[in-house]
Amino acid sequence: MKTILIKGGRRGIGGSALARAIRPLVGDPAFLAIGKEAVETGFHDAIYPAGTSWSLIESENGTRGFLIIESDECPAGLAPDCLVSLEHDARDAAPAREADFQSGRPAGAGTIIRCAGRLGLDEATVRRIAWLSGSRPGPVTAIVLTGGKSRR
């Protein structure tokens, strides 16, 4: 089972919207939330309370090929195949691991290749996931600024 963990950090940051955008890219994944309020049940296949063990989540969803998990914290025992942080500070996103894709930061080609291998997806799909997460694949190589008055 492949896992994509979306760490939002606060309500309204766009985790559910990102998960819904990623969902068709990876087939028919289960869309789970951990620690979310019950009012959001219409968007998720299942909602688990904060602190739920990974072994329980895995046993209940083991038949699915992909899990997209939206949570503020990484469940104990989970080493996600792809970690997306929508916050600008991903130091606490998962134990001993930085986010693969972080909103506002560029995504290197090596990261995209590694995630594609872990997820079993092609690089174009993973590049699209990076783009949707707010992480820009490929750094800007040049910005050209010209002086003078605009003549529009």
Side-chain angles (χ1 to χ4, degrees):
M1 168 180 2
K2 307 295 183 182
T3 56
I4 299 174
L5 175 63
I6 300 171
K7 182 182 182 294
R10 61 183 159 83
R11 188 176 173 91
I13 200 167
S16 295
L18 175 60
R20 284 192 302 270
I22 292 173
R23 196 174 198 169
L25 299 176
V26 297
D28 185 32
F31 178 20
L32 312 176
I34 301 172
K36 296 291 177 182
E37 297 173 11
V39 295
E40 296 187 35
T41 55
F43 299 128
H44 305 92
D45 294 322
I47 295 180
Y48 294 92
T52 302
S53 72
W54 171 242
S55 59
L56 174 67
I57 296 167
E58 187 176 31
S59 69
E60 291 182 359
N61 298 282
T63 60
R64 302 299 284 266
F66 266 92
L67 295 182
I68 298 175
I69 302 168
E70 181 187 3
S71 180
D72 295 340
E73 298 299 324
C74 184
L78 170 64
D81 296 301
C82 181
L83 176 59
V84 176
S85 177
L86 298 179
E87 291 192 306
H88 293 290
D89 184 10
R91 289 177 291 180
D92 298 325
R97 174 144 175 235
E98 292 290 322
D100 294 304
F101 304 122
Q102 186 172 348
S103 181
R105 291 200 178 160
T111 301
I112 290 171
I113 292 168
R114 281 189 302 278
C115 280
R118 289 191 305 251
L119 292 170
L121 299 172
D122 60 77
E123 290 178 32
T125 301
V126 176
R127 189 172 285 109
R128 178 77 177 145
I129 291 169
W131 183 263
L132 290 168
S133 72
S135 182
R136 299 297 173 243
V140 174
T141 56
I143 297 176
V144 178
L145 300 174
T146 60
K149 195 173 187 180
S150 174
R151 302 197 186 249
R152 291 188 228 191

